[in-house]
Amino acid sequence: MTTSDCPTTRRPLARASLGTASRWWLSLLSAAAATGVAAALAGPLDGVYFALPIAVLSLSALVTGAGPALTSTLLATLGIGALIHLPEGPPRHTEILQLVAFFVTGTVVSLVSGSLHKRRARDAQEHIAASHAAEEAERRATETRVSLEALRVSEAKFQQLADSMPQIIWSTRPDGINDYYNRKWYELTGTAEDQIADASWVPMLHPEDRERCVNVWTECLRTGKPYQDEYRFKFPTTREYRWYLGRALAVRDEAGRILRWYGTSTDIHEAKRTEAALRASEERHRALAEALREADRRKDEFLAMLSHELRNPLAPIKNSLYILSRVQPGSDKARRAEHVIERQVEHMTRLIDDLLDVTRISRRKIQLQRTPVEMNELVRRTVEDHRSVFDACGVALALTLADRPLWVDGDPTRLSQIVGNLLQNAAKFTSRGGKAEVAVQAQTSGVLVHVRDNGIGIEADILPRLFDPFTQADTTLDRSRGGLGLGLALVKGLVELHGGDVQARSAGPNQGAEFTVRLPEVPAPARDATPCSSPGAVPLGRILVIEDNFDAAESLKEALELGAQQVCLAHSGPEGLEKVRTFRPDVVVCDIGLPGMDGYEVARAIRADPAQRSTRLVALTGYASPEDRQRARAAGFDRHLGKPPDFDALLQMLHELVLAPAPA
């Protein structure tokens, strides 16, 4: 109820609100009114009639209070006294008594009326104060109801907003005890919303994060600083630890005291995984960039080595050709020059073969011609083939074989290449007067081949990358020991193709080195009594060489004619087909890269001619990858041989083709 609803409270309020000056003026008017009434009634009533003046004073006292009423009484008494004295001279005794009685009565009436006035004024003030208090209480109650309703609406909006968010929303008391979680928490934990007292977040933490996270939160509670940390939660519904970002701020009152904490926990697991993947990718890219830089550096070193190694044999070849053009054929100088050319050509062939083999091994395109191989015999033959190299270097070479036959399933040519590369390495890096030893040993792990020397040894920092391509211990400017750094890389690749492994050991510089090859042992095969024919036992017949390189064609023709073979040349594909029809060769040795039509087309054309079905075809080409061999076989070639060929191997191949039965 408002003030406008209480009109009865306004009159006491109006009387009580008369100011001091107004009350005194009212008392003067009351005195004048009492005197006037007394004067008006004095004539008709034959004397002074005091009842009405006293009533006037009593009313004045009720309004103005005791003080102004006494003043009015005094003034009225003086006024009436003057009225009594003026008409007839001095007042009579009875008039004085009446005047005194009037004054006393007026005084008593003023005091009583003033007391009543004072009590009514106090009652009015109390009533006004009570009314104001009731109005204030009603106002405050109304404001409280409005505030509570606004708070309820605000909390409902907050809870609705918090429940709709994908993050975990939470709040705590100033001491850190949780008093609220949004719906996301209960969905993840599987607990009921009325179990907040048991909804502790610490057991959900990863053991590695628990102590750190609790310490950070405790420090924030102590200092009031904003909370931020990353940690891993594992909920029953997720079944895995996921990364979360926790943040919280303190809410304070006007005095700065913390009222509560509000915080969030945001799932950042995918972001962390992306960040980790990005870091891993950056690491891989850095490693790749470093590997590319290292590969580029080694490529530059390799090109420099290759240039050096190819120029070295070219110089003695050129010098020997100069000598052959100026000395008597068959003389000692001519024979020495021929031997020099032969050695340097073999050296260059070996360099090129190593390059091709490394490429094939790295691309997993090399094919092994597997057969049972007895390692004692293979190592013995290989050692004997290289003994002249050790003798020329002044290095003693010893051989120790196993006390029983040891068989492996492998390619004899590649196995001999493995042992040969290790022997060449030992001869190259052992000084004159040194010694080397080769030993074949049987162990439960397989067949072991040891190659030891007391040469220059290997530095510790080179050992881990010793079998990488183009790695060399000799990095001096003169490169007196030569090589491309491919020999050991070939050894490792070929050994692994055979299912084995190779290891290198060295005590350091000038302490020698030891290489150990381990190959899987297999049971001994059944004996094969089939006799082998000698390449020179049967004539090779008529041979057609199709080669566009004139020097290569002429030199091969002359070499084959040394065996009393009849050889004819053609320098293009169409010319070769014409010679096939007119010369009718037994074997055609054909290059692949020919002008007019390539060797594959030549082979297909010969195979399409029924009259040439019995002609044997050999591809002699620089295209020597496994894919090139398959393509040659598909085109109709019987054999495939890479350039430059080993002449004995070529004669053996031609011999086998001549002895083989003709195709149907």
Side-chain angles (χ1 to χ4, degrees):
M1 183 166 57
T2 63
T3 305
S4 60
D5 300 326
C6 304
T8 57
T9 63
R10 290 189 175 273
R11 289 191 293 272
L13 177 62
R15 290 195 297 267
S17 63
L18 289 175
T20 302
S22 299
R23 286 188 281 116
W24 284 104
W25 278 110
L26 185 58
S27 67
L28 293 177
L29 290 175
S30 299
T35 304
V37 170
L41 295 176
L45 296 179
D46 192 18
V48 179
Y49 185 77
F50 295 105
L52 288 178
I54 289 174
V56 172
L57 293 175
S58 176
L59 291 174
S60 174
L62 289 174
V63 175
T64 62
L70 290 174
T71 303
S72 298
T73 300
L74 178 61
L75 293 176
T77 301
L78 294 175
I80 293 173
L83 288 175
I84 295 173
H85 178 68
L86 289 176
E88 299 176 358
R92 295 189 297 270
H93 179 72
T94 55
E95 291 176 342
I96 295 174
L97 289 176
Q98 290 178 350
L99 186 62
V100 171
F102 172 79
F103 177 76
V104 172
T105 302
T107 300
V108 172
V109 170
S110 296
L111 290 175
V112 173
S113 298
S115 176
L116 293 175
H117 166 78
K118 185 175 182 181
R119 185 168 58 188
R120 282 197 305 272
R122 184 170 62 251
D123 292 342
Q125 291 293 336
E126 290 176 355
H127 182 75
I128 292 171
S131 177
H132 286 170
E135 293 176 2
E136 182 67 18
E138 180 66 20
R139 184 183 64 80
R140 290 183 178 180
T142 302
E143 291 179 353
T144 300
R145 287 194 299 271
V146 172
S147 298
L148 289 175
E149 179 64 19
L151 179 61
R152 187 189 65 78
V153 173
S154 176
E155 288 180 348
K157 289 182 178 179
F158 169 77
Q159 185 170 355
Q160 184 179 8
L161 176 63
D163 288 341
S164 66
M165 296 182 69
Q167 294 94 343
I168 299 172
I169 311 297
W170 49 271
S171 66
T172 73
R173 301 194 307 239
D175 57 1
I177 302 299
N178 287 91
D179 57 7
Y180 172 76
Y181 285 107
N182 70 335
R183 185 174 300 163
K184 186 68 174 180
W185 170 266
Y186 298 105
E187 290 176 354
L188 292 172
T189 59
T191 57
E193 295 189 15
D194 58 352
Q195 296 177 345
I196 191 169
D198 300 327
S200 176
W201 52 276
V202 176
M204 308 293 179
L205 286 170
H206 193 285
E208 297 178 0
D209 303 335
R210 190 169 298 162
E211 182 178 358
R212 185 201 73 248
C213 188
V214 171
N215 290 340
V216 173
W217 174 235
T218 302
E219 179 65 16
C220 291
L221 291 176
R222 186 183 67 83
T223 61
K225 293 181 179 178
Y227 169 75
Q228 178 168 324
D229 196 10
E230 292 181 359
Y231 43 80
R232 286 164 287 182
F233 270 154
K234 183 179 181 181
F235 297 106
T237 56
T238 59
R239 298 182 180 180
E240 66 171 346
Y241 282 103
R242 297 182 66 85
W243 280 100
Y244 280 80
L245 171 63
R247 289 176 174 172
L249 292 174
V251 178
R252 303 173 185 269
D253 60 11
E254 294 80 357
R257 292 186 297 269
I258 296 177
L259 299 177
R260 65 192 307 109
W261 289 81
Y262 284 100
T264 62
S265 295
T266 305
D267 189 330
I268 58 171
H269 192 70
E270 297 304 323
K272 294 287 284 187
R273 291 179 59 181
T274 303
E275 181 182 350
L278 181 60
R279 285 197 301 268
S281 177
E282 290 176 350
E283 290 295 330
R284 288 195 299 270
H285 279 82
R286 280 194 290 268
L288 179 60
E290 182 62 29
L292 289 175
R293 284 192 292 270
E294 177 64 16
D296 188 63
R297 182 188 65 79
R298 290 169 59 187
K299 179 261 298 179
D300 292 340
E301 293 180 355
F302 163 71
L303 291 177
M305 288 189 295
L306 180 63
S307 175
H308 182 274
E309 292 302 314
L310 290 180
R311 288 176 180 274
N312 275 354
L314 289 177
I317 290 175
K318 189 173 183 179
N319 295 338
S320 298
L321 290 174
Y322 179 83
I323 293 172
L324 288 175
S325 65
R326 285 167 173 75
V327 299
Q328 184 68 28
S331 63
D332 292 340
K333 289 186 177 181
R335 285 194 293 273
R336 285 197 297 273
E338 291 169 357
H339 292 325
V340 169
I341 293 174
E342 183 179 3
R343 286 197 303 272
Q344 298 305 319
V345 168
E346 290 178 355
H347 177 65
M348 292 184 67
T349 301
R350 190 162 53 250
L351 289 177
I352 295 172
D353 286 343
D354 286 351
L355 283 172
L356 294 175
D357 285 343
V358 167
T359 301
R360 293 173 189 142
I361 291 174
S362 65
R363 297 179 180 179
R364 296 291 179 182
K365 293 183 178 180
I366 197 167
Q367 294 180 346
L368 299 180
Q369 306 299 321
R370 289 182 177 272
T371 186
V373 179
E374 206 286 303
M375 288 302 295
N376 285 303
E377 179 61 21
L378 183 139
V379 172
R380 186 192 63 77
R381 287 200 313 266
T382 306
V383 168
E384 293 305 319
D385 290 343
H386 288 78
R387 190 173 293 279
S388 60
V389 177
F390 283 84
D391 292 341
C393 295
V395 178
L397 179 60
L399 173 62
T400 303
L401 300 177
D403 55 2
R404 65 177 178 86
L406 300 175
W407 293 87
V408 300
D409 180 31
D411 188 327
T413 302
R414 296 302 185 180
L415 292 173
S416 180
Q417 184 179 3
I418 291 170
V419 179
N421 280 9
L422 294 177
L423 288 172
Q424 291 174 9
N425 198 69
K428 183 189 301 184
F429 293 102
T430 303
S431 302
R432 183 172 294 276
K435 61 180 180 179
E437 179 184 359
V438 180
V440 181
Q441 182 182 5
Q443 282 194 356
T444 56
S445 60
V447 179
L448 303 184
V449 179
H450 303 277
V451 180
R452 307 182 187 91
D453 65 66
N454 62 350
I456 66 172
I458 305 170
E459 295 183 359
D461 61 332
I462 296 180
L463 273 174
R465 51 189 178 90
L466 187 62
F467 293 99
D468 294 342
F470 317 125
T471 297
Q472 288 201 334
D474 183 13
T475 57
T476 57
L477 185 62
D478 61 350
R479 291 187 45 78
S480 58
R481 303 183 189 274
L484 293 176
L486 298 175
L488 294 180
L490 280 174
V491 168
K492 182 176 183 293
L494 292 173
V495 169
E496 290 177 348
L497 286 176
H498 283 83
D501 58 71
V502 59
Q503 295 180 349
R505 289 183 291 273
S506 177
N510 301 317
Q511 300 297 315
E514 178 181 0
F515 293 86
T516 301
V517 174
R518 185 193 61 80
L519 297 169
E521 185 178 4
V522 298
R527 293 184 176 274
D528 186 4
T530 304
C532 296
S533 301
S534 171
V538 179
L540 299 181
R542 299 159 66 85
I543 300 175
L544 172 62
V545 177
I546 307 177
E547 170 64 68
D548 61 329
N549 187 305
F550 286 86
D551 290 339
E554 289 293 340
S555 60
L556 181 58
K557 176 177 180 294
E558 292 176 2
L560 291 172
E561 287 176 342
L562 292 176
Q565 278 71 239
Q566 186 176 357
V567 183
C568 181
L569 295 181
H571 300 295
S572 67
E575 183 185 357
L577 290 178
E578 179 65 27
K579 292 289 180 69
V580 167
R581 287 190 290 269
T582 59
F583 183 62
R584 302 188 65 82
D586 298 302
V587 181
V588 176
V589 179
C590 183
D591 188 19
I592 296 298
L594 294 172
M597 58 190 306
D598 60 35
Y600 301 124
E601 295 175 301
V602 172
R604 285 191 286 267
I606 293 175
R607 290 294 180 232
D609 186 355
Q612 305 299 330
R613 290 287 180 86
S614 62
T615 304
R616 305 309 179 107
L617 303 180
V618 176
L620 183 62
T621 175
Y623 299 101
S625 69
E627 290 82 357
D628 296 324
R629 295 177 185 274
Q630 294 174 1
R631 188 177 179 187
R633 176 72 65 178
F637 283 99
D638 297 289
R639 299 292 178 86
H640 184 284
L641 196 62
K643 290 183 178 180
D646 180 271
F647 198 72
D648 291 335
L650 175 60
L651 291 177
Q652 178 67 32
M653 182 182 294
L654 295 174
H655 175 256
E656 292 173 355
L657 290 174
V658 171
L659 290 179

